Amino acid sequence: MSSREAILKAIKEAKPHNSESALPEVNILHTTYDDLDAKFATTLAGVGGNAVHLDSLSAVEGYIKEHYKEAKVIVSTVEGLHVNTKELGATDDPHTLKDVDLAIIKGEFAVAENGAVWIKEADARHRALYFITQKLMIIVPKEQIVHSMHEAYTRISFGDKDIFGLFISGPSKTADIEQSLVIGAHGATEACVVFI
């Protein structure tokens, strides 16, 4: 038995099975917002990102040409977007992605409360892409925005092929013991959420 199997077995055996430990019902009214798009944009700006509304993937391509002129290495996992300058599937080594200037990925839905986007890609072959790129763009379908994380958690599900999912809110950041906030500390230095 591997260490992983032994740990999982121990957790399973320690899991309570009686009704006394059932989770309580939670019936709490959560905060809602009149204008989800405005709340999301404001919250995202507060964590260093920006939100954009465009009409189509071709408009996204135009936006990239206008706002990311300096990006030489572009990788996209979004079907129908033709801006790649590097093929993601051409490598098995995520270290070769260290030169990516702009990564464009697909988000399932956004959360107005904290400016986060739920990312789940069944074919997320190189999860390092989300964190190693210099700049990150997340494409989210319009109207796919919820009020809070409570609402977001009810929408999360994993199918048989889904192996990875996470929330991303803005670019990377860190605050040290001097309480100095640094944006772009150890991952993407910029994050743009595009609703189409």
Side-chain angles (χ1 to χ4, degrees):
M1 178 182 295
S2 70
S3 297
R4 180 179 185 271
E5 291 169 338
I7 291 169
L8 291 175
K9 182 175 182 267
I11 291 171
K12 195 172 189 178
E13 288 173 357
K15 185 177 175 185
H17 296 286
N18 58 43
S19 60
E20 293 177 14
S21 61
L23 294 174
E25 278 193 36
V26 179
N27 296 312
I28 301 171
L29 293 176
H30 302 290
T31 302
T32 58
Y33 306 97
D34 292 334
D35 187 337
L36 286 173
D37 291 331
K39 175 61 180 171
F40 179 83
T42 301
T43 307
L44 183 62
V47 295
N50 69 308
V52 177
H53 290 257
L54 298 172
D55 293 329
S56 63
L57 285 177
S58 60
V60 173
E61 292 178 6
Y63 185 85
I64 291 168
K65 286 178 185 169
E66 182 180 349
H67 295 276
Y68 297 93
K69 292 175 185 171
E70 75 287 352
K72 303 290 184 217
V73 180
I74 301 175
V75 173
S76 170
T77 63
V78 178
E79 193 173 320
L81 195 58
H82 307 291
V83 293
N84 282 3
T85 60
K86 182 173 191 166
E87 274 304 317
L88 191 59
T91 182
D92 289 327
D93 182 2
H95 293 93
T96 61
L97 301 174
K98 66 183 179 186
D99 62 344
V100 174
D101 296 312
L102 174 65
I104 305 151
I105 62 175
K106 180 178 54 178
E108 290 202 352
F109 62 88
V111 185
E113 175 182 58
N114 59 4
V117 176
W118 173 244
I119 311 294
K120 184 181 74 173
E121 292 188 274
D123 57 349
R125 185 174 174 196
H126 296 300
R127 291 175 236 167
L129 177 65
Y130 310 151
F131 315 105
I132 202 169
T133 183
Q134 287 296 310
K135 297 177 181 177
L136 182 65
M137 176 180 283
I138 307 172
I139 309 293
V140 179
K142 280 182 182 173
E143 310 300 329
Q144 294 301 314
I145 183 167
V146 298
H147 294 273
S148 66
M149 289 301 289
H150 297 280
E151 192 176 349
Y153 281 126
T154 64
R155 294 188 58 167
I156 294 174
S157 64
F158 285 93
D160 293 340
K161 293 182 180 179
D162 299 322
I163 58 171
F164 182 74
L166 79 159
F167 284 100
I168 295 177
S169 180
S172 69
K173 54 194 91 52
T174 187
D176 62 17
I177 55 175
E178 296 177 358
Q179 299 179 351
S180 175
L181 177 64
V182 177
I183 293 178
H186 43 69
T189 59
E190 292 180 22
C192 177
V193 177
V194 178
F195 292 94
I196 62 169

